[in-house]
Amino acid sequence: MVKVAILGSGNIGSSLISSAISRGYEVIGTGRTDVTLRRVLELGAKATSNNQEAISTSDLILISVKPQHFPDLVRGTTRNIWRDKVVVSVMAGVRLETLKRIMEGASVFRAMPNINATVKMSTTALTGDGRGKELVETFFKGLGSTYWINEDFMDVWTALIGSGPAFVSEIIDSLVLGAVASGMPRELAYSAVLDMLEGTARNLRSHKGHPAEVRDNVITPAGTTIRGLKVMEEKGVKAALIETVESASKRASELGRVIDGRIKEDTERW
Ligand SMILES: NC(=O)C1=CN([C@@H]2O[C@H](COP(=O)(O)OP(=O)(O)OC[C@H]3O[C@@H](n4cnc5c(N)ncnc54)[C@H](O)[C@@H]3O)[C@@H](O)[C@H]2O)C=CC1
Ligand SMILES: O=C(O)[C@@H]1CCC=N1
């Protein structure tokens, strides 16, 4: 049985733990507080605050702490502990080059899932190469779909797909509020809008052409849709969404540079 360590059992770490447990992996989750460790135990995994112990007893190591907490995590481990392990980071921005600087002798990958892993519908990007590639792919396939991508696209993937569920949730909330403002009960609007979203995704996928074609099929001359679209245009919704993804992507790159600098300083003293 593959032994998996999840270092950092927060929002995404908990989803990784649940999925791994449900598929029969032996899992140890780490955390810094009693509340986190209790939650890990409730999910059916072993729990420890000692990352070094979790790494040493596992074959596949997943790093799911915030990028800013990664240098601290590294400081709490010894250089040799990473050797021969298969390591996957799900941290935004942190580059393979940075990870390899610390993890001599390890086979290192990056993955960028999203919170839809909670319902086994993550869309996960994977990058990296070498020993353990199949193990990594099998693990993330259990959370939804996987795409092997060039690391150059990882930051924009993080913005579009990693952060995406937050952006889409915000848009859905706004649409629901629009219906509430027009007198519809909130619960009815929310349930209906989720159905509409699932239907639109399926429709767009089956249509195969450009989404603007589906949009044009909805518009009736002098009807309701064109009135709504005109407001979207006036308020700059499209430009705002383009900038949303660009800005989030730039932040991922920025995080990568900052963490690389901190890790470089640390490795000199390590
Ligand atoms: N939340 C999301 O939807 C996604 C998050 N990510 C990435 O996953 C990582 C975690 O994000 P979240 O789960 O949202 O954050 P979170 O804050 O919910 O979880 C991080 C956990 O790590 C723990 N932690 C911090 N330092 C630690 C240490 N030295 N040892 C053990 N545990 C430690 C924290 O106490 C916390 O429980 C980030 O790097 C983020 O970029 C990636 C894809 C999606
Ligand atoms: O907000 C963040 O930085 C992380 C990366 C993708 C989703 N959450």
Side-chain angles (χ1 to χ4, degrees), residues 9-24:
S9 310
N11 288 316
I12 204 79
S14 298
S15 297
L16 298 175
I17 292 174
S18 298
S19 160
I21 291 285
S22 73
R23 287 179 292 142

Side-chain angles (χ1 to χ4, degrees), residues 111-114 116-117 119-126 136-148 157 161 205:
M112 184 45 63
N114 65 28
N116 298 336
V119 289
K120 294 194 168 39
M121 284 195 69
S122 172
T123 313
T124 305
L126 299 168
V136 172
E137 180 167 321
T138 304
F139 184 87
F140 283 95
K141 270 205 182 330
L143 304 177
S145 58
T146 54
Y147 293 72
W148 285 96
W157 182 284
I161 306 297
R205 216 187 270 277

Side-chain angles (χ1 to χ4, degrees), residues 14-236:
S14 298
S15 297
L16 298 175
I17 292 174
S18 298
S19 160
I21 291 285
S22 73
R23 287 179 292 142
Y25 290 95
E26 196 177 314
V27 185
I28 182 161
T30 75
R32 293 182 301 185
T33 64
D34 288 345
V35 176
T36 305
L37 295 176
R38 257 199 310 277
R39 194 178 53 225
V40 171
L41 290 173
E42 281 163 14
L43 294 172
K46 286 188 199 157
T48 178
S49 57
N50 186 336
N51 290 308
Q52 175 90 358
E53 174 199 331
I55 299 165
S56 70
T57 55
S58 305
D59 315 301
L60 176 63
I61 319 295
L62 300 171
I63 305 178
S64 48
V65 298
K66 300 257 184 229
Q68 294 89 335
H69 293 150
F70 179 56
D72 241 15
L73 184 154
V74 171
R75 266 181 241 124
T77 64
T78 57
R79 221 175 229 281
N80 268 336
I81 199 76
W82 303 96
R83 189 166 292 283
D84 299 332
K85 303 293 180 185
V86 177
V87 182
V88 188
S89 159
V90 305
M91 295 179 290
V94 181
R95 298 195 298 254
L96 285 173
E97 185 194 351
T98 309
L99 299 165
K100 284 178 181 164
R101 191 170 292 128
I102 300 154
M103 299 162 184
E104 281 169 25
S107 192
V108 181
F109 297 86
R110 288 179 66 188
M112 184 45 63
N114 65 28
I115 202 68
N116 298 336
T118 315
V119 289
K120 294 194 168 39
M121 284 195 69
S122 172
T123 313
T124 305
L126 299 168
T127 196
D129 206 1
R131 188 170 40 81
K133 196 169 177 180
E134 276 180 24
L135 182 68
V136 172
E137 180 167 321
T138 304
F139 184 87
F140 283 95
K141 270 205 182 330
L143 304 177
S145 58
T146 54
Y147 293 72
W148 285 96
I149 67 169
N150 187 304
E151 190 180 18
D152 292 349
F153 302 127
M154 211 57 173
D155 290 341
V156 66
W157 182 284
T158 301
L160 183 67
I161 306 297
S163 303
F167 302 149
V168 172
S169 297
E170 189 75 354
I171 292 166
I172 288 172
D173 187 39
S174 310
L175 294 173
V176 168
L177 289 176
V180 172
S182 309
M184 187 182 281
R186 191 195 150 74
E187 275 175 29
L188 174 61
Y190 187 48
S191 171
V193 98
L194 292 183
D195 287 351
M196 182 273 288
L197 196 80
E198 279 177 4
T200 306
R202 196 171 297 180
N203 191 14
L204 287 174
R205 216 187 270 277
S206 87
H207 178 72
K208 293 190 173 74
H210 195 281
E213 291 164 13
V214 170
R215 179 202 63 201
D216 286 351
N217 288 341
V218 180
I219 297 173
T220 303
T224 62
T225 313
I226 192 64
R227 282 281 175 93
L229 286 168
K230 184 165 171 275
V231 175
M232 289 180 82
E233 196 66 13
E234 280 166 2
K235 303 278 182 189

